[in-house]
Amino acid sequence: MNIMVIGGGGREHAVIRSLKKNKSVSKIWCLPGNGGIAADAECVPVKATDLEGVAAFAKDRPVDFAVVTPDDPLCLGLVDRLEALGIPCFGPTRAAAAIEGSKVFSKQLMKKYGIPTAESLVFSDPVEAAGYLKTAEYPVVIKADGLALGKGAVIVSCAAEAERTVREMMVEKIFGESGSRILVEEFLTGPEVSVLSFTDGKTVVPMVSSMDHKRAHDGDEGPNTGGMGTVAPNPYYTAEIAKECMKTIFLPTVRAMEKEGRPFRGCLYFGLMLTPKGPKVIEYNCRFGDPETQVVLPLLESDLLTVMQACRAGTLTEEMVRFSDGAACCVVLASDGYPKKYETGYEISLPETEEGEEIFVAGAKREGGKLLTAGGRVLGATATAGDLKTAIRRAYALAEKISFRNAYKRSDIGARALKAAEGKTCSPQTSQKQE
Ligand code: AMP
Ligand code: GLY
């Protein structure tokens, strides 16, 4: 089997490592990949958003299966483009990827099909939005309709801040056309849970739950990032809650997409908040989360390629997807200063890994035989173990062995989860004001 993976972050590295466990996989191309992924796949310098470039590359190669993981190429329709060339893909079509690509679309879908989510209003006129926000009850959440590099949701606590946010999104267009329409959403509270799922358009099989750590600094302080670490499973997500989510959220969403003529095949990510009134959808993503994937896939015991092919073929069953009972922790090593200003180009020294340890590289390039930092999030140190406490200890022990000059990591990844798992008093992670 010759496989083409589109993307170039830690998530894609984790996907490639999992795919390689299948003995029938003989070749993996990664477009564009990165300096770390190059140890596991042939990296080709074509941007994931260069649809024509990807198609041209694939046309001349014996690609048996393609895996498209980042949001932008999915929302631009890369899967449609490749399927038209006769290349079977894992990933949703452009029409289905709208579940992430347009928050207005996904909100209307949830309203129409009675899927629990925050109340909200849509505005396409900044004057109308500002008028409404003068009298709103605070806090509220203001969200840009389209993709915004994960920065499109702002929690605002007063009218002045709301006015500024509306101006930035709708008039100054800091997120481009993504901010032409906005949603003003009810502020919810409760622990957040990420649930990735496999779906073939009809059947939906949730993966092990996980918990992201979005803030840059310990204690959930500092600016929002792409994610500084993850643990799986998420202890707040009990078997009872999982059952409720399947009934009220997962199945209804997949059925709704089918009814709308946009069957979703691929990985559907449910960003949930466990509110006092039950689980509600905070966001959908049309793809694997990052760094969630870096803890979820190492716990997958089934063959990833088989599951992905079943999602594409419409033959997915629950029995196909098996996860270990253990736990995993991923500690992200970033360039100091991320997500704001940071330096790159420093040499990375990677240790040998043992069974149950993985280093997934996100922002690095290879130059003159050396691996150099080339991004904000540089890599993820992941460890699996029989229990969460050991997984966290092992992930930190692995992270300690990795060095580059301006490495920065949080020191409390998993601490909140561990307290919750051990039943100690803890305040659930609730969303806080963004900076
Ligand atoms: P999103 O871009 O929709 O994923 O939102 C980013 C983050 O903002 C989420 O992970 C939450 O922490 C927070 N958030 C989004 N929507 C809400 C909401 N309605 N109430 C409270 N927090 C929210
Ligand atoms: N870690 C959140 C995301 O991938 O969107």
Side-chain angles (χ1 to χ4, degrees):
M1 278 290 270
N2 301 315
I3 301 184
M4 180 172 76
V5 174
I6 306 300
R11 164 184 57 201
E12 285 74 24
H13 202 181
V15 166
I16 288 169
R17 284 269 175 84
S18 275
L19 288 171
K20 281 182 79 175
K21 290 181 191 161
N22 182 314
K23 294 283 172 274
S24 75
V25 174
S26 45
K27 174 90 195 169
I28 302 182
W29 293 283
C30 188
L31 283 59
N34 67 46
I37 293 178
D40 289 291
E42 182 184 331
C43 295
V44 184
V46 175
K47 271 198 197 158
T49 46
D50 176 6
L51 268 53
E52 287 318 307
V54 173
F57 175 85
K59 242 194 289 193
D60 296 335
R61 309 279 183 313
V63 179
D64 297 307
F65 196 69
V67 178
V68 185
T69 32
D71 48 5
D72 335 23
L74 287 167
C75 293
L76 288 169
L78 181 56
V79 165
D80 311 57
R81 184 84 178 79
L82 293 173
E83 289 274 355
L85 293 175
I87 299 169
C89 293
F90 176 83
T93 58
R94 180 182 181 160
I99 200 163
E100 174 171 2
S102 168
K103 286 185 192 286
V104 172
F105 167 76
S106 62
K107 191 58 89 173
Q108 283 164 351
L109 186 88
M110 289 185 269
K111 276 198 183 148
K112 183 169 170 187
Y113 292 91
I115 298 163
T117 185
E119 291 298 327
S120 72
L121 290 170
V122 180
F123 293 96
S124 43
D125 175 4
V127 178
E128 262 178 46
Y132 168 77
L133 285 162
K134 279 201 180 96
T135 58
E137 257 182 58
Y138 288 91
V140 296
V141 187
I142 301 182
K143 294 184 176 182
D145 176 36
L147 297 180
L149 298 169
K151 296 192 169 71
V154 185
I155 297 161
V156 296
S157 50
C158 65
E161 216 181 324
E163 196 196 323
R164 192 181 69 224
T165 305
V166 168
R167 195 175 55 241
E168 285 173 354
M169 285 188 188
M170 302 188 84
V171 183
E172 293 162 17
K173 294 206 184 287
I174 56 168
F175 303 124
E177 286 313 305
S178 287
S180 299
R181 286 193 295 182
I182 60 161
L183 283 161
V184 177
E185 206 171 276
E186 169 197 12
F187 177 76
L188 301 175
T189 56
E192 283 188 54
V193 183
S194 306
V195 181
L196 283 59
S197 71
F198 290 110
T199 173
D200 65 355
K202 287 185 189 300
T203 301
V204 54
V205 186
M207 300 181 217
V208 63
S209 62
S210 53
M211 181 192 281
D212 196 1
H213 297 68
K214 288 194 171 122
R215 299 301 203 96
H217 308 308
D218 284 5
D220 295 317
E221 301 278 342
N224 257 326
T225 70
M228 294 301 294
T230 36
V231 291
N234 183 323
Y236 291 105
Y237 189 72
T238 60
E240 197 185 333
I241 293 174
K243 218 167 135 188
E244 184 181 350
C245 289
M246 180 53 98
K247 207 171 105 198
T248 62
I249 296 173
F250 306 159
L251 266 179
T253 301
V254 168
R255 292 210 176 113
M257 290 297 279
E258 195 190 5
K259 280 210 187 101
E260 293 294 309
R262 303 168 186 253
F264 191 103
R265 296 187 197 93
C267 173
L268 182 52
Y269 168 133
F270 299 90
L272 307 173
M273 197 169 266
L274 309 180
T275 77
K277 290 187 186 158
K280 295 193 180 188
V281 177
I282 285 283
E283 62 161 346
Y284 292 114
N285 290 328
C286 64
R287 50 169 176 90
F288 283 101
D290 197 358
E292 285 90 340
T293 307
Q294 300 185 47
V295 285
V296 168
L297 288 185
L299 294 172
L300 180 69
E301 288 179 341
S302 323
D303 175 51
L304 179 62
L305 180 60
T306 308
V307 175
M308 285 182 159
Q309 286 174 315
C311 289
R312 157 72 174 44
T315 54
L316 182 71
T317 62
E318 210 182 313
E319 295 71 41
M320 267 179 196
V321 185
R322 226 181 31 257
F323 280 88
S324 113
D325 289 336
C329 173
C330 168
V331 177
V332 168
L333 268 74
S335 301
D336 193 20
Y338 169 76
K340 294 183 176 156
K341 225 173 125 120
Y342 55 83
E343 291 171 2
T344 59
Y346 296 122
E347 187 173 357
I348 306 168
S349 112
L350 293 180
E352 290 293 316
T353 49
E354 291 172 17
E355 175 76 23
E357 294 177 353
E358 302 250 30
I359 297 168
F360 298 123
V361 179
K365 61 181 178 188
R366 204 160 271 285
E367 240 176 51
K370 289 180 180 167
L371 190 62
L372 306 178
T373 62
R377 287 190 296 173
V378 175
L379 52 84
T382 291
T384 54
D387 62 88
L388 185 59
K389 194 171 181 175
T390 315
I392 295 169
R393 186 173 48 71
R394 287 190 74 193
Y396 270 103
L398 178 61
E400 285 302 323
K401 288 193 238 166
I402 304 167
S403 60
F404 53 92
R405 204 158 100 194
N406 60 342
Y408 168 79
K409 60 181 178 296
R410 272 181 64 161
S411 68
D412 64 348
I413 301 301
R416 189 189 299 276
L418 197 58
K419 275 193 195 165
E422 290 175 348
K424 291 186 192 151
T425 46
C426 63
S427 53
Q429 181 176 8
T430 55
S431 47
Q432 300 159 32
K433 200 172 140 301
Q434 286 184 318
E435 289 176 8

